[in-house]
Amino acid sequence: MVTTPQQRSSHPVYVIGGGPGGLAVAASLRERGVRVVVLEKSDAVGASWRTHYDRLRLHTTRRLSGLPGLRIPRSFGRWVARADVVRYLEKYAEKHELEVVTGVEVFRIERAAAESAGAESAGAESAGAEWVLHATGGRRLVAGAVVVATGYNHTPYVPEWPGRDSYEGELSHARAYRSPGPYAGKDVLVVGVGNTGAEIAADLAEGGAGRVRLAVRTVPHIVRRTTLGWPAQRSGILIRRLPAGLVDRLGALLARFATPDLTAYGLPRPDTGLATRQREGAIPVQDVGLIDAVRSGKVEVVAAVAAFEGGEVLLADGTRIAPDAVIAATGYRRALEPLLGHLDGVLDERGLPVVHGARCPRGVPGLYFTGFTNPISGMFRELAMDAEKIARRIARSGRRAGRG
């Protein structure tokens, strides 16, 4: 392991979150001789992957999803299963001998009092800019730098539909879904047609649910996971730097070649381009069974949910239905406001970091973010790239501070 000169601050770098992004940054920092501590609020690394539904697999290929310093075993197959992702993350932390402290949740991050106001010009770099982390049990942890890696899918979000709180039926978020077994023979409404909603609907249809309906508010772009052996992820990598207009046109051409028209089933082709939609925060839905389920009638596409009334669900087209269960695949919130909302210029109007990777928010040196984008080129791949960039930046700043 390469050892860098002593940092100006003797305090470690703290990484908040023991998922793939946090572990990748920690391993990359440790490789450069920087002491780093990972704080994980659950009792093990990879907590979110432990709670995903059983059917889930990485939508990106094994070869393009490894984190720095450890390939995903070939025995896990091309599309790595949820349980194997957990095994890989456990092995990753062990192999890199990471200092992971579990059962510690960080509630607030503040600049240390020792960092006097105006001591640095806006945007200046400083490896010694100290931070104070307020955490579980009254802990007050002082850090030389902080990497926030709490995840894109942090806090389940269920819209405040009229009548939701008095709904008499079964309503749950997709995070609680594991397998179709408990829904055998039942009438189930899945709300939301992102990757999670699409896959849960297909899973229910294949797993014995009596009836499956999928409520759609915005028609998604649907892409094949592979086309003639070519994974969609590689296309995402190739086009991610191209102009949005060009990608929109290429995406439309590819869709007509690779994806059937589902207009007759309630899923017309989107009227906005693939890249335009992605830049608004919506990535394409990878088909892992939805197309066949819709065409066979096993999954019925219905209008968006408008309200709940007693034991019924009112849809946007005026239809009333009374499913046995409603599963809200309506996404997550990053929930960074309690942690960082008091710091000026760190979060945007959507509650997302204004920068990510090796850049720090302007005037806030020593604070980094990873895992808060939803890239078309693959989350694990981008996390690995961010980890190396962040680690190089912190180590380089430490060398400069050592010379000072």
Side-chain angles (χ1 to χ4, degrees):
M1 195 165 56
V2 178
T3 302
T4 63
Q6 180 64 38
Q7 290 175 274
R8 189 176 77 190
S9 171
S10 60
H11 302 293
V13 174
Y14 278 100
V15 174
I16 305 174
L23 297 180
V25 171
S28 299
L29 283 168
R30 183 167 163 73
E31 182 66 21
R32 289 166 173 80
V34 179
R35 189 194 167 200
V36 55
V37 179
V38 179
L39 302 176
E40 168 55 49
K41 71 176 182 179
S42 72
D43 59 0
V45 299
S48 64
W49 278 91
R50 296 175 188 274
T51 58
H52 286 315
Y53 47 94
D54 295 343
R55 173 191 172 111
L56 180 65
R57 290 178 177 270
L58 281 179
H59 289 169
T60 54
T61 66
R62 168 184 53 81
R63 294 183 65 179
L64 295 175
S65 301
L67 301 178
L70 183 65
R71 293 181 178 179
I72 299 176
R74 189 172 183 177
S75 60
F76 287 179
R78 191 180 196 189
W79 310 104
V80 184
R82 178 198 63 83
D84 287 333
V85 172
V86 173
R87 290 170 55 195
Y88 171 69
L89 295 178
E90 291 174 338
K91 181 65 177 178
Y92 191 84
E94 177 185 346
K95 192 255 185 190
H96 290 286
E97 300 180 339
L98 301 182
E99 188 175 348
V100 180
V101 182
T102 59
V104 175
E105 181 175 5
V106 178
F107 300 106
R108 187 178 175 91
I109 302 173
E110 295 179 334
R111 297 292 295 270
E115 184 74 13
S116 59
E120 299 177 90
S121 61
E125 296 180 351
S126 173
E130 295 179 354
W131 295 85
V132 175
L133 283 58
H134 299 274
T136 305
R139 291 177 175 87
R140 182 180 178 277
L141 307 171
V142 181
V146 178
V147 182
V148 181
T150 49
Y152 192 84
N153 296 334
H154 186 273
T155 302
Y157 169 72
V158 178
E160 300 217 8
W161 291 297
R164 185 196 72 178
D165 294 338
S166 58
Y167 178 56
E168 298 170 1
E170 178 186 335
L171 172 63
S172 61
H173 189 272
R175 174 170 278 186
Y177 179 84
R178 293 292 176 275
S179 67
Y183 300 93
K186 291 186 176 182
D187 181 343
V188 187
L189 173 67
V190 179
V191 184
V193 69
N195 276 295
T196 297
E199 189 157 358
I200 287 177
D203 196 31
L204 287 165
E206 296 169 10
R211 184 177 188 179
V212 181
R213 283 175 282 203
L214 180 61
V216 176
R217 179 172 58 89
T218 303
V219 178
H221 285 272
I222 302 176
V223 299
R224 298 288 192 183
R225 188 163 64 177
T226 60
T227 301
L228 301 177
W230 178 266
Q233 181 189 9
R234 288 198 178 275
S235 296
I237 293 170
L238 291 175
I239 67 176
R240 66 189 301 266
R241 302 292 185 189
L242 295 178
L246 176 58
V247 175
D248 286 348
R249 291 192 293 274
L250 290 173
L253 288 173
L254 180 61
R256 294 185 183 282
F257 166 72
T259 308
D261 186 354
L262 301 176
T263 301
Y265 303 94
L267 283 177
R269 298 193 188 277
D271 56 8
T272 55
L274 187 149
T276 299
R277 187 73 64 81
Q278 192 269 335
R279 292 182 184 187
E280 294 171 353
I283 64 172
V285 170
Q286 284 203 14
D287 174 47
V288 288
L290 179 67
I291 290 176
D292 287 344
V294 168
R295 296 174 80 180
S296 67
K298 293 180 179 180
V299 171
E300 306 167 48
V301 178
V302 298
V305 169
F308 290 84
E309 294 182 4
E312 294 184 321
V313 181
L314 176 63
L315 303 180
D317 62 1
T319 305
R320 291 177 180 271
I321 60 176
D324 298 315
V326 179
I327 299 174
T330 45
Y332 295 81
R333 293 293 181 264
R334 273 35 80 188
L336 291 171
E337 289 83 357
L339 193 68
L340 296 158
H342 56 284
L343 297 174
D344 293 336
V346 172
L347 304 179
D348 65 17
E349 65 280 358
R350 298 171 297 169
L352 290 168
V354 296
V355 296
H356 68 277
R359 297 173 59 196
C360 298
R362 184 173 176 81
V364 190
L367 180 63
Y368 302 87
F369 296 89
T370 185
F372 293 97
T373 60
N374 201 9
I376 196 171
S377 51
M379 179 68 81
F380 272 51
R381 179 179 180 273
E382 295 298 322
L383 291 174
M385 294 169 64
D386 271 358
E388 294 284 6
K389 292 174 184 176
I390 292 170
R392 282 197 298 267
R393 172 73 175 269
I394 291 176
R396 187 170 64 241
S397 298
R399 285 193 292 271
R400 280 198 293 266
R403 287 196 297 268

